[in-house]
Amino acid sequence: MKTILVTGGSGVLGRALLPALEGRADVRVLSRHADSRPTFRQGDLQTGTGLADALRGVDTVIHAASQPSRPQADLEMTGVLLAAAREAGVRHVVYVSIVGCDRVQAFPYYRAKTHSEALVAAGGVPFTVVRATQFHEFVAFMLSRLTRVPLLPLPGLPLQPVDVH
Ligand SMILES: NC(=O)c1ccc[n+]([C@@H]2O[C@H](COP(=O)([O-])OP(=O)(O)OC[C@H]3O[C@@H](n4cnc5c(N)ncnc54)[C@H](OP(=O)(O)O)[C@@H]3O)[C@@H](O)[C@H]2O)c1
């Protein structure tokens, strides 16, 4: 059975992904926070702390950790992960990206995702980039923020959200 490390396993996508992987791989989860569950490994993709331990014996990394509000940090996290994955002999990195990120360069986060895709492609580890559209949870979050004002402005943004499952 292959060993898969999921970064961002505590996030919206990661939480849906873990049950789907159960029984099909030996799954580990990377989180910055201490967690007593045996599958969890504490580590930080910005500093690299804990990464070598978390990656030992790992075949595949699914990189779903992200920091949308800090695009530069988001990009750096991918770089740190790739260097550690190369060092650990990881055989495949799956990078979760966003549909059309290269076409919406007005958003710093989308620019960071596009740069991250390029980093992954040049990272020296066989890779797959999976681009998803917005998750329903994200759209609900954005709409819930708009409800703070008495009049609800609905932006004319074309969206085609997906269920993370
Ligand atoms: N949300 C959307 O609508 C959407 C659409 C398309 C694609 N995507 C992509 O899908 C991926 C997952 O998105 P999501 O919405 O599921 O993310 P999320 O819920 O915001 O979760 C982010 C995760 O990143 C981890 N993380 C953040 N900084 C970290 C660090 N320094 N070291 C280690 N882990 C760190 C967090 O783990 P801890 O707090 O446990 O450390 C958390 O689990 C992202 O790459 C995103 O760009 C999202």
Side-chain angles (χ1 to χ4, degrees):
M1 201 181 257
K2 290 206 166 135
T3 302
I4 297 181
L5 177 73
V6 180
T7 75
S10 57
V12 173
L13 175 62
R15 285 197 306 272
L17 190 56
L18 297 181
L21 291 172
E22 217 174 275
R24 300 163 72 183
D26 172 17
V27 179
R28 293 181 197 165
V29 178
L30 184 81
S31 171
R32 287 166 296 179
H33 310 287
D35 193 305
S36 58
R37 283 172 283 184
T39 49
F40 273 66
R41 302 285 184 280
Q42 193 168 7
D44 192 316
L45 287 168
Q46 263 186 276
T47 60
T49 312
L51 268 191
D53 276 349
L55 285 166
R56 193 162 297 123
V58 166
D59 299 289
T60 300
V61 174
I62 301 178
H63 181 29
S66 193
Q67 292 213 9
S69 58
R70 300 178 62 218
Q72 184 58 33
D74 189 84
L75 181 59
E76 286 164 14
M77 280 161 50
T78 301
V80 169
L81 174 65
L82 283 167
R86 260 194 319 270
E87 181 73 25
V90 169
R91 296 155 65 93
H92 203 113
V93 170
V94 178
Y95 179 61
V96 185
S97 191
I98 303 173
V99 168
C101 59
D102 53 331
R103 296 171 60 185
V104 191
Q105 293 290 293
F107 298 161
Y109 182 53
Y110 279 30
R111 287 203 298 274
K113 296 297 288 187
T114 307
H115 286 152
S116 289
E117 287 185 356
L119 270 188
V120 169
V125 182
F127 69 97
T128 302
V129 172
V130 180
R131 284 180 163 188
T133 59
Q134 284 64 43
F135 305 155
H136 291 306
E137 288 83 352
F138 173 73
V139 178
F141 170 74
M142 294 305 281
L143 289 175
S144 73
R145 291 185 69 151
L146 293 176
T147 59
R148 288 179 187 174
V149 288
L151 199 64
L152 182 69
L154 270 184
L157 260 183
L159 290 170
Q160 200 171 53
V162 284
D163 178 348
V164 280
H165 297 95

